[in-house]
Amino acid sequence: MKALVLLCLVASCGSSLPYYDYAKEPDPRSRELTLGVGDVVGIDVYGQKELNTDTTVRPDGTITMPLVGDIKAAGETPSSLREKIKQQLANFLKMAAGNEVTVAVRAWKSYRFTISGEVARASVFTSDQYVTVAEALAMAGGLSRFARRDEIRLLRKDGKGAVRQIPLDYDALASGKRTDMNIYVLPGDYIYVP
């Protein structure tokens, strides 16, 4: 009987920290940027000054380029967009080996995420570089005194549109006890602080 009571006490004293495999979440810094609505791209065609342009990805996901016209850019990387442009230009120009096309992101405006609930400033936030959960919460002015610090959720859509909830404990994250929780916030993420 004493062993059973001791076992129950040990089990109840266990950590209330959420179990989640945070290592499976992507580090977006290790892959090429995906273009989205509002991003500004610069397109340069070597030896063809009249084709060089800076253009913004419109709400329909397209950009307009001289000679070529509209091209779908949202969801493309700069490299894949460059290949699409080269294919389109081949219909109009004889592309010599030296006629290289470059695509550069001039302004990254599609990186947006939402923070709501018990924070100082709930809003849609943007940044010119990827931020971690801790940095995102700091951008929102931190948690209010009413926040349930161990029940924070990051909601993230996968490629098929399914939403998964990633549990976060602010005190464990901020104290450094669970640095694995300090994952990078992806475009479209939603952080809710109850």
Side-chain angles (χ1 to χ4, degrees):
M1 184 67 170
K2 285 183 181 180
L4 182 59
V5 171
L6 183 61
L7 183 61
C8 289
L9 286 173
V10 170
S12 66
C13 292
S15 173
S16 64
L17 295 177
Y19 174 75
Y20 185 85
D21 186 6
Y22 299 95
K24 74 179 183 181
E25 295 304 322
D27 182 345
R29 301 168 306 158
S30 63
R31 61 180 186 218
E32 193 174 7
L33 189 77
T34 300
L35 298 170
V37 174
D39 292 340
V40 179
V41 293
I43 302 166
D44 294 318
V45 182
Y46 184 78
Q48 303 286 334
K49 269 188 183 176
E50 64 281 357
L51 298 178
N52 297 346
T53 188
D54 283 0
T55 184
T56 302
V57 181
R58 297 190 304 267
D60 66 353
T62 61
I63 58 170
T64 301
M65 184 180 165
L67 189 64
V68 173
D70 291 344
I71 300 174
K72 187 80 169 167
E76 299 288 338
T77 64
S79 296
S80 65
L81 181 59
R82 179 184 68 230
E83 292 307 312
K84 285 175 78 171
I85 291 169
K86 285 171 77 171
Q87 289 174 359
Q88 291 293 319
L89 284 175
N91 295 327
F92 303 100
L93 300 171
K94 182 176 180 186
M95 297 294 286
N99 285 28
E100 191 56 44
V101 175
T102 59
V103 175
V105 179
R106 304 263 197 252
W108 187 36
K109 298 187 179 191
S110 64
Y111 181 47
R112 291 184 288 277
F113 54 90
T114 304
I115 303 176
S116 70
E118 293 295 331
V119 291
R121 290 183 312 276
S123 186
V124 175
F125 294 89
T126 186
S127 177
D128 60 357
Q129 62 185 0
Y130 287 109
V131 297
T132 63
V133 168
E135 292 167 332
L137 291 171
M139 291 171 72
L143 278 55
S144 79
R145 64 186 175 128
F146 303 108
R148 293 196 303 257
R149 305 162 80 85
D150 60 343
E151 296 180 24
I152 300 170
R153 297 283 182 258
L154 186 150
L155 286 77
R156 177 171 286 169
K157 286 186 181 180
D158 65 16
K160 298 176 182 175
V163 177
R164 70 176 180 281
Q165 293 189 23
I166 302 170
L168 301 167
D169 182 314
Y170 183 77
D171 292 330
L173 188 151
S175 69
K177 289 180 185 175
R178 292 291 303 271
T179 56
D180 59 326
M181 281 187 191
N182 201 20
I183 59 177
Y184 280 91
V185 178
L186 301 180
D189 279 356
Y190 175 84
I191 300 173
Y192 177 65
V193 181

